[in-house]
Each structure stands twice: as C-alpha cells, then as structure tokens.
Amino acid sequence: MSMGILLVAVFVASWAMTAGVRRYALARSIMDIPNARSSHQVPTPRGGGVAIVLGFLGCLPLAGVLGAVDGRSLLALLPAGALVAVIGFLDDHQHIPARWRLLGHFVAALWLLCWLGGVPALPVPWGTLDLGLMGDFLGLVFLVWLLNLYNFMDGIDGIAGLEAISVCLGGALCSWLVGAPQLVWLPLILGMAVAGFLVWNFPPARIFMGDAGSGFLGLILGGLALQAGSMASPLVWSWLILLGVFVVDATFTLIRRLMRGERVYEAHRSHAYQRASRRYGSHLRVSLTVTAINVLWLVPLALLVALGHVSGLLALIVAYAPLVLVVAHLGAGRPDEQEVS
C-alpha cells in the first residue's frame, strides 16, 4: 500500500465512521440542544469527532510500517491523543468536572512534550532563544491551552474542520519546501481524517464534532508543531502563525472575560467568530472567511518564515496584529447582550 492510497482510505473511513456515529447519536438521543448561549437553532447529533480520532490514530501504525512515521512520534501521539479523546468522549456523554478534565489534559500534554523532546530552541532576531525547563513549562501550558481553545472555537458549522485542514496543508507545505518530507505525512493524514468528517459538518451541519474531536485536534496540532520544530526550529513559528485565527480569537476572549471576573469554563457565545456569525447571519460565510484568512494571509507568512526570508517572531507579530484588531472590532469577550452595532 502506498501513502497515497492510505490517505484516500483515511478519508473514506472517516466519512463512513461519521455516518455511523451520527446514526448512533440519533438512536441514543445524544443531541446538542439549542439554548440561549448556542449558535444553532436546530437540535443536532454530536460526537462526530470520534471518526477523526479513530481515522487518524488507526492509520498511524500503518503509516509507521510504510516508513512515513517514526516510532518516537507514534509513542508520543497515540497515547496522548487517545487519552484526550476518551476524556472528551466521556464528557460528551456524562459531564466530567473541569478540574479532572484539566488534570487529564495536562497528563496527555506532558506525555506528548516528553516524547517529542520538549520545546526546541527558537530562532529570534537577536540569536537563539532557549528557555530550558521554563520553555518546556510554557510549552506544556500552551499545549493544554491549544487543546481547550480548539474546543471553545468549535461553535459554528465547519469552522473547526476547515481550520484544521488549512493548518495541516500549510504545515505540510512548509515542511516540503524546507526539504523535510518526513514531516509532510502526519499533517496530511490528519487533514484527510478531518475532511471525511467535514462532509457531514459542512454548513448546514448534520453532526457536530463534540469534545472528543475538538480537544484531540488541538493537542495533535500542537504536537505536530513541536515535532516539526524538533527537526527545523523555524517551523515552530510557522505553525504558530498558521494557528493564528483560533489562538488570537480564543486568547483575546479569555483575557477579556478574566478581566471581568467571569467563569471561563462557563458556556458563552462571545468569541469573535460567534459574534460575526450572528452579525452576518451565516455560519458558512464566517467559516469560509476564516479559511480565506488562513490561505491568503497566514500561509504565505508561514512559508516566508520556513524558507528563512523573515524572522519567525517578527512574522508572528505581523500575522497576529490585524487579527487582534478584527476580533476587538467584533467585540470578542464582551457580554452576550452587548452586540456589535
């Protein structure tokens, strides 16, 4: 079996499993019921992200046999991804207290970080930034935050899937252009697993991703960034740039809510993308706009960093600055009743 056939198989398997999960969710009444804090109006099955998890993790051993994935990456991604997915799956079915979810997230992130060798020294305009254990601690916090923010950002049809696909394709392209073909396959495998699910989640969605899928995607994307950085350190900056839309919206919203003393794990709909979907009355328009920002703005900057044409730190600032202005303009983090005029 070639890797091309394997990629097609992952897509088909994810598509078929999503259909199966949808039938299961309908039969068991595992539904997302709209409420005052929802961005939806129709009860919809949830938990479709399980197909992404099974498609990606199930493919990894085969990819390893084909030489597309090294043993260290398998040991890093399989247990960590499975743990986060199980926590999310259980939370989708029966609520788990936030402290226990967070503990599991830190365990999974620590496992991933250790097997990938920690946070690499990063190139900066004045030399190389190596924070040692402090850098590893910050990397651990970032992985847990990325895991959770991906869950927070999975609030309208198609947005989480389109984000993952565009980030994966951008990351794979960066790796290919810098002459690191061994880093190309994992993002492509993940992208194809997400694409199979997206067929069912594209607006108007027939099933939602659920915590099992969104948390899994956040952690694995962070792991792919670290894996890439361990072989070519500028690629960490490239991946951070590619993740810019989700990182900026979620972080800006979190900070604003913390400043008002709100419970950050309490459900809300004050993210910029949620406000935009209400303002323009369309999930599709917002999700496609996010994809366009990724493709037309963030991917080119990530490529420039990967190819060494611009400093990663400076490019990150350039990439994030207009995103901060946009989410601030849309009123990210304001109370729900304070709509953008």
Side-chain angles (χ1 to χ4, degrees):
M1 178 186 292
S2 69
M3 282 304 300
I5 295 174
L6 186 60
L7 290 175
V8 174
V10 171
F11 171 81
V12 174
S14 178
W15 173 83
M17 285 188 290
T18 305
V21 173
R22 183 174 184 272
R23 287 194 294 270
Y24 170 81
L26 287 170
R28 298 297 183 93
S29 297
I30 303 172
M31 307 289 287
D32 195 299
I33 308 299
N35 55 46
R37 296 181 182 273
S38 300
S39 297
H40 302 84
Q41 287 76 45
V42 180
T44 306
R46 69 174 185 268
V50 169
I52 299 173
V53 175
L54 295 178
F56 179 74
L57 294 184
C59 175
L60 289 187
L62 289 174
V65 170
L66 293 172
V69 183
D70 62 278
R72 187 175 182 179
S73 295
L74 286 174
L75 288 171
L77 296 172
L78 272 169
L83 176 58
V84 167
V86 168
I87 292 171
F89 180 82
L90 293 175
D91 195 49
D92 280 336
H93 287 71
Q94 183 177 353
H95 178 69
I96 298 176
R99 63 182 179 277
W100 297 117
R101 291 202 311 271
L102 196 61
L103 176 61
H105 295 166
F106 269 102
V107 170
L110 182 61
W111 176 277
L112 186 64
L113 193 67
C114 289
W115 275 100
L116 292 178
V119 175
L122 300 176
V124 290
W126 56 89
T128 301
L129 182 63
D130 186 355
L131 297 177
L133 289 177
M134 177 58 70
D136 291 336
F137 173 75
L138 294 175
L140 179 65
V141 172
F142 177 75
L143 283 174
V144 173
W145 173 226
L146 188 60
L147 186 165
N148 283 278
L149 77 81
Y150 217 94
N151 183 23
F152 300 155
M153 293 295 291
D154 178 31
I156 62 174
D157 299 349
I159 191 170
L162 287 169
E163 169 77 1
I165 292 171
S166 55
V167 169
C168 285
L169 291 178
L173 182 58
C174 287
S175 296
W176 180 68
L177 288 177
V178 300
Q182 68 272 31
L183 297 175
V184 169
W185 293 114
L186 278 175
L188 291 183
I189 293 170
L190 183 60
M192 292 301 281
V194 175
F197 162 79
L198 185 62
V199 173
W200 296 93
N201 184 245
F202 198 79
R206 288 169 283 176
I207 187 170
F208 296 156
M209 186 177 292
D211 289 355
S214 58
F216 173 83
L217 279 179
L219 181 70
I220 297 301
L221 289 171
L224 294 180
L226 289 176
Q227 183 208 32
S230 68
M231 298 188 183
S233 56
L235 291 179
V236 173
W237 293 118
S238 294
W239 276 86
L240 289 175
I241 290 169
L242 292 169
L243 290 162
V245 172
F246 272 30
V247 170
V248 170
D249 190 347
T251 304
F252 188 97
T253 302
L254 175 74
I255 292 173
R256 205 165 197 174
R257 296 185 71 214
L258 282 173
M259 290 175 64
R260 287 202 312 277
E262 294 185 15
R263 296 177 181 176
V264 294
Y265 273 94
E266 188 176 84
H268 68 97
R269 54 174 191 168
S270 62
H271 287 285
Y273 77 92
Q274 292 170 316
R275 290 185 170 277
S277 70
R278 297 197 299 276
R279 180 173 183 175
Y280 299 109
S282 171
H283 289 200
L284 179 61
R285 184 174 177 181
V286 175
S287 294
L288 290 180
T289 298
V290 168
T291 305
I293 292 171
N294 289 338
V295 172
L296 301 177
W297 175 241
L298 299 179
V299 169
L301 285 171
L303 290 173
L304 288 174
V305 171
L307 293 171
H309 296 313
V310 63
S311 162
L313 178 59
L314 294 178
L316 184 77
I317 294 171
V318 170
Y320 279 22
L323 300 179
V324 172
L325 294 177
V326 170
V327 300
H329 172 72
L330 289 169
R334 291 180 185 171
D336 290 344
E337 65 273 16
Q338 294 183 12
E339 297 292 343
V340 179
S341 59

